[in-house]
């Protein structure tokens, strides 16, 4: 449903319709707003970095914590890193410029769909998908151990729903912040969520097969 809604948003060309209501021919009035640029951008990114450090400590803890074995915790760390890497690799190779670089808002670039991969817009590019939103959406995997537990595991779903709500809320706040500042189109946030969700869900499914295979292999190796 999320993928269909995101594709539909692109097909209807709603990005510029939204941005034209936010920006002016001379720029975006909220671009340097203190709450948006300092609190909800700089400080929020710092919080995400601290959360990742805490996650590394959690994954390294030798005893079972949070009801999850250590190998499962390290799988979550790997999925967070994979989500961040993919989003940033796409950004580095994107020719899509930020809305505040567009001619309609006082810049030099012209609007070109991010799906026209080989067409430059005259700007600096590297603005698709949303990097700031990925600082929250990359943690989507944290909900999966409880919402999609390994086969045979009995776990309460409540922690998973709490993580899902937190990740989606913070990610959307981060995305809306950048849209109001003129840094990203709304679709950039939607596609960031699609990418991070896709990597997390597929990686979790593959990882579970690997985790379940390891104990079986160890048990067979211990047989005389």
């Amino acid at each position: 449903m999320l993928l269909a809604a995101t594709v539909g948003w692109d097909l209807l060309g709603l990005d510029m319709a939204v941005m034209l209501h936010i920006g002016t021919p001379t720029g975006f009035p909220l671009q340097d707003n203190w709450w948006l640029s300092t609190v909800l951008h700089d400080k929020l990114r710092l919080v995400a970095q601290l959360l990742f450090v805490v996650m590394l400590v959690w994954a390294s803890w030798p005893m079972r914590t949070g009801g999850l074995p250590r190998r499962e915790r390290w799988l979550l760390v790997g999925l967070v890193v994979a989500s961040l890497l993919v989003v940033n690799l796409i950004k580095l190779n994107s020719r899509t410029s930020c809305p505040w670089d567009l001619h309609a808002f006082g810049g030099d670039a012209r609007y070109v769909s991010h799906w026209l991969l080989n067409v430059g817009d005259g700007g600096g590019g590297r603005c698709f998908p949303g990097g700031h939103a990925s600082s929250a959406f990359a943690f989507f995997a944290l909900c999966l151990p409880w919402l999609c537990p390994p086969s045979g595991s009995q776990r309460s779903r409540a922690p998973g729903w709490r993580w899902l709500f937190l990740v989606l809320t913070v990610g959307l706040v981060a995305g809306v912040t950048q849209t109001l500042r003129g840094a990203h189109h709304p679709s950039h946030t939607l596609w960031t969520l699609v990418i991070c969700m896709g990597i997390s869900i597929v990686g979790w499914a593959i990882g579970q097969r690997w985790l379940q295979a390891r104990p079986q292999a160890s048990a067979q190796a211990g047989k005389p």
Side-chain angles (χ1 to χ4, degrees):
M1 291 175 63
L2 172 64
L3 179 60
T6 305
V7 172
W9 182 282
D10 271 356
L11 291 176
L12 293 173
L14 297 178
D15 273 341
M16 283 300 290
V18 171
M19 301 313 293
L20 287 170
H21 281 85
I22 299 173
T24 69
T26 58
F28 290 85
L30 296 176
Q31 180 174 342
D32 298 316
N33 177 272
W34 184 81
W35 282 102
L36 298 180
S37 63
T38 301
V39 177
L40 294 179
H41 183 265
D42 298 342
K43 301 299 183 183
L44 186 60
R45 183 169 54 187
L46 179 60
V47 170
Q49 293 169 350
L50 292 174
L51 176 59
F52 184 72
V53 172
V54 172
M55 192 176 181
L56 288 176
V57 175
W58 175 59
S60 304
W61 203 255
M63 295 180 292
R64 192 183 186 98
T65 59
L68 306 181
R70 184 160 58 172
R71 285 177 299 176
E72 212 168 299
R73 285 175 267 148
W74 276 114
L75 174 58
L76 296 177
V77 171
L79 294 176
V80 172
V81 171
S83 297
L84 291 171
L85 285 176
V86 170
V87 169
N88 280 281
L89 284 173
I90 296 174
K91 278 179 65 69
L92 286 173
N93 292 279
S94 171
R95 304 190 69 180
T96 299
S97 297
C98 301
W100 57 34
D101 293 324
L102 299 181
H103 180 73
F105 308 109
D108 298 323
R110 68 186 191 283
Y111 175 76
V112 175
S113 171
H114 46 252
W115 291 114
L116 299 177
L117 303 180
N118 296 319
V119 180
D121 56 18
R126 298 185 177 183
C127 199
F128 173 82
H132 189 48
S134 72
S135 63
F137 290 148
F139 291 94
F140 176 85
L142 286 174
C143 73
L144 298 177
W146 294 276
L147 296 184
C148 300
S151 178
S153 299
Q154 297 294 327
R155 296 174 182 170
S156 170
R157 295 170 66 88
W161 287 118
R162 286 195 291 267
W163 275 115
L164 180 61
F165 176 79
L166 179 63
V167 167
L168 292 181
T169 299
V170 177
L172 290 174
V173 168
V176 170
T177 294
Q178 291 299 79
T179 294
L180 292 175
R181 296 182 64 226
H184 284 291
H185 293 294
S187 66
H188 294 187
T189 298
L190 294 174
W191 281 112
T192 301
L193 177 56
V194 169
I195 292 168
C196 292
M197 285 182 64
I199 292 172
S200 297
I201 292 171
V202 173
W204 179 253
I206 295 173
Q208 289 311 301
R209 296 178 185 177
W210 173 71
L211 291 175
Q212 291 171 10
R214 286 192 61 183
Q216 295 175 2
S218 300
Q220 292 176 358
K223 292 181 179 179

